[in-house]
Amino acid sequence: MAKRLYRSESDRVLGGVCAGLGTFLGIDPILIRVFFIAWTVLGEFSVFIYLLLWMIVPSDSSAEADGAFQMNDLGTRFHQMGREIGEISRQPSSELIIFTGVGLIAWGVYYLVRRLVPYLDLWAYSQYLWPAMLIIAGVLVIIRTMRKK
């Protein structure tokens, strides 16, 4: 049976995307969350990708978890996502608050360093940052997989 990607309901902080990716890849979901925070701080498309995955990837406890994504399910999933966002906004988890705080601090430090040290153009180095982060993530996945065997 092929391994499938699901959003985690039990280990979710926001939509369960990072926990599901961590389980699917065999690495700690915290590393995936830190990756998404760094991606967001550097201004790439992380929020869009996260929301897209939240909408497309089925929940591990949902009825459609056994089937493939269908375009006519998009409205239902969009409404489900809206209900989950409402639930999260009414009672945010302590992990969500911590990750939000870490993201805001990282974002503030990034922009403060850009203002205080203008000759250090961090954005110019972002073309090297993403390949480096992908390489590190790949190495972590391989190491984690090798340790399980």
Side-chain angles (χ1 to χ4, degrees):
M1 184 172 172
K3 194 174 182 181
R4 300 224 17 208
L5 174 61
Y6 298 106
R7 291 183 299 111
S8 174
E9 288 290 323
S10 59
D11 190 23
R12 78 178 201 185
V13 172
L14 189 59
V17 173
C18 293
L21 283 170
T23 302
F24 182 76
L25 296 173
I27 60 176
D28 193 350
I30 291 176
L31 295 174
I32 305 291
R33 291 175 182 129
V34 168
F35 173 78
F36 268 96
I37 289 171
W39 196 9
T40 301
V41 167
L42 293 174
E44 298 290 332
F45 295 105
S46 64
V47 174
F48 174 73
I49 298 297
Y50 189 92
L51 291 174
L52 188 66
L53 287 172
W54 190 353
M55 196 176 316
I56 292 175
V57 176
S59 168
D60 58 5
S61 65
S62 67
E64 72 266 0
D66 295 331
F69 175 76
Q70 301 291 325
M71 278 305 278
N72 52 355
D73 294 338
L74 193 58
T76 306
R77 294 221 184 151
F78 191 71
H79 286 295
Q80 176 186 359
M81 190 171 101
R83 284 192 302 274
E84 291 175 4
I85 289 172
E87 178 184 313
I88 291 165
S89 65
R90 282 188 294 281
Q91 283 205 316
S93 69
S94 60
E95 291 173 328
L96 176 60
I97 294 169
I98 289 170
F99 282 113
T100 302
V102 167
L104 290 172
I105 290 169
W107 209 351
V109 167
Y110 173 75
Y111 282 105
L112 185 64
V113 168
R114 283 186 66 186
R115 297 281 186 227
L116 292 176
V117 189
Y119 59 87
L120 178 64
D121 187 10
L122 296 175
W123 190 255
Y125 297 108
S126 68
Q127 64 184 345
Y128 303 111
L129 179 65
W130 293 119
M133 286 181 75
L134 290 172
I135 291 168
I136 291 168
V139 168
L140 289 173
V141 168
I142 291 170
I143 289 172
R144 179 72 174 205
T145 304
M146 298 302 271
R147 284 186 184 169
K148 284 186 177 181
K149 290 182 182 182

